Amino acid sequence: MEYQTPQFFRLMQYAAAAERDVVELVSGGPDWNAPSAIGEGLHEFADLDGNDYQYPPSAGLTELREEIAARRGVAIENVVVTNGAGEANSLALAAALDRDAGREVLLTDPVYPYYPGKTQLFGGVPRYVPVDADGSLDPAAVRERASDEMAAIVVNTPNNPTGAVYGEETMAELVDIAAAHDAILVSDEVYDHFDYTGEFASALAVDSPHRIVTNAFSKSMAITGFRVGYGVFPNELVDGVRSRHMLVNVAGSRPAQYAVLRALRGTGPEYYERNRERLVRRIDGFTDALDDAGAEYTAPDGGFYVMARFPEFPGTMANAERLVDEAGVAAMPGETFGEARADWFRFALVSPEIETAGRRLADFFG
């Protein structure tokens, strides 16, 4: 597989080199502060004076795995702490494909492009299911495209890029479809703290050997640089997953895991609620600006991305560069996420300059 620089990086580099100031709404790195307990945990770890600076257990600090298991209602043996959700998803796809139950991986369209990239990296064949106009996923459409050649179904809820939130019935049906074809449902739930509907349901609610759940603290705690994620794997797969994780990474970062554990125990629900409220305000203000710009859009039920389509201005990389040069706003072109929203753009609302970006778009298209 020939390596190509991800479009995200290309566009961010283009925006950084622009001759004017640009509001960057490309990357999904939160712009708010991490919980105070993260810093406190790092200070505590530093004060150990080197007494505990060696390798942690390969599968993750035992206390952190215990905390995750207790919160998610699973056995500690099924939890593997990973190098972010990125590694958790890689381990999940590799495990699904290693079963020799098929080579096809069913993905949504639009889709976060790392999923098809990882699929191809591990020798799988991406297949796609278009989502509904509001971003929701109809299990009947998944069932129609499922086959015995399918190794996995991969979903992300709340969804990047559509902002859709999949409810309990949808998740249960997806696990059922996977089981019917001896496949694995991989549910990436990294945005689970950013549900504005109360409808979010984890695939962990379904007890099945045909589901894997991945997650991370990168978004919920605004610590994308810490690279602490995890996967919950069924008994039949977890040993192979732990072996692959150990061979690739040996182990994750002990200080980062220590700080995350401290933050899990020391951060109350108000931290997460405050950030949800911040994002709801941003979504409301930004979509008002999109109305002024004459755009079509879907307001997200979760996550912090908005997709929008502008009249006679399709979501190509060339037009994304025009937005940088002429409007001073950087957004991902829809063609990056597949065919179903190729005419759209995706905006990441993780910048304090959202109001400025909205005003610039309204002026540019108005």
Side-chain angles (χ1 to χ4, degrees), residues 186-208:
V186 179
S187 181
D188 180 348
E189 301 175 3
V190 71
Y191 298 101
D192 61 349
H193 278 75
F194 304 102
D195 169 30
Y196 314 123
T197 65
E199 298 297 319
F200 168 80
S202 172
L204 291 176
V206 184
D207 185 13
S208 171

Side-chain angles (χ1 to χ4, degrees), residues 5-26:
T5 301
Q7 298 283 59
F8 298 88
F9 295 140
R10 285 184 51 200
L11 189 58
M12 290 170 66
Q13 290 169 348
Y14 187 87
E19 295 182 356
R20 59 167 299 164
D21 71 296
V22 178
V23 179
E24 193 266 279
L25 304 183
V26 173

Side-chain angles (χ1 to χ4, degrees), residues 48-290:
L48 295 174
D49 293 328
N51 290 329
D52 203 4
Y53 284 12
Q54 307 310 314
Y55 295 120
S58 180
L61 288 179
T62 301
E63 287 185 288
L64 177 58
R65 292 172 62 226
E66 287 175 342
E67 189 74 23
I68 292 168
R71 289 167 177 261
R72 304 313 305 266
V74 299
I76 185 176
E77 291 79 13
N78 299 107
V79 177
V80 179
V81 176
T82 60
N83 186 28
E87 190 207 352
N89 286 319
S90 294
L91 291 171
L93 275 168
L97 289 162
D98 280 351
R99 297 168 65 246
D100 291 327
R103 306 309 299 171
E104 294 184 0
V105 174
L106 208 54
L107 306 167
T108 60
D109 185 3
V111 64
Y112 183 59
Y114 280 20
Y115 301 131
K118 291 175 187 290
T119 296
Q120 292 171 321
L121 180 66
F122 293 116
V125 180
R127 297 285 185 259
Y128 297 93
V129 180
V131 301
D132 292 341
D134 63 355
S136 59
L137 179 62
D138 184 354
V142 177
R143 197 177 296 275
E144 181 181 326
R145 288 165 176 78
S147 77
D148 290 340
E149 296 302 312
M150 182 177 68
I153 302 167
V154 179
V155 296
N156 171 216
T157 175
N159 186 263
N160 172 15
T162 67
V165 172
Y166 304 159
E168 183 177 356
E169 184 175 339
T170 294
M171 298 306 292
E173 287 196 55
L174 292 174
V175 175
D176 181 67
I177 296 167
H181 294 278
D182 191 25
I184 301 293
L185 174 73
V186 179
S187 181
D188 180 348
E189 301 175 3
V190 71
Y191 298 101
D192 61 349
H193 278 75
F194 304 102
D195 169 30
Y196 314 123
T197 65
E199 298 297 319
F200 168 80
S202 172
L204 291 176
V206 184
D207 185 13
S208 171
H210 293 274
R211 60 99 178 98
I212 295 171
V213 169
T214 65
N215 210 318
F217 305 99
S218 301
K219 312 291 184 176
S220 60
M221 290 188 179
I223 51 171
T224 57
F226 275 52
R227 313 312 302 138
V228 180
Y230 64 91
V232 179
F233 300 90
N235 294 333
E236 294 82 352
L237 299 178
V238 70
D239 286 345
V241 164
R242 289 177 65 158
S243 294
R244 185 185 292 265
H245 166 71
M246 180 178 62
L247 288 169
V248 172
N249 293 285
V250 179
S253 163
R254 184 182 281 270
Q257 292 181 48
Y258 186 101
V260 166
L261 175 61
R262 175 73 167 76
L264 281 174
R265 292 173 172 173
T267 302
E270 65 278 359
Y271 171 80
Y272 305 102
E273 181 59 34
R274 185 165 61 247
N275 291 329
R276 282 193 294 272
E277 291 173 353
R278 179 202 317 270
L279 287 165
V280 167
R281 290 193 298 272
R282 288 181 178 181
I283 291 166
D284 289 344
F286 190 72
T287 52
D288 285 347
L290 291 176

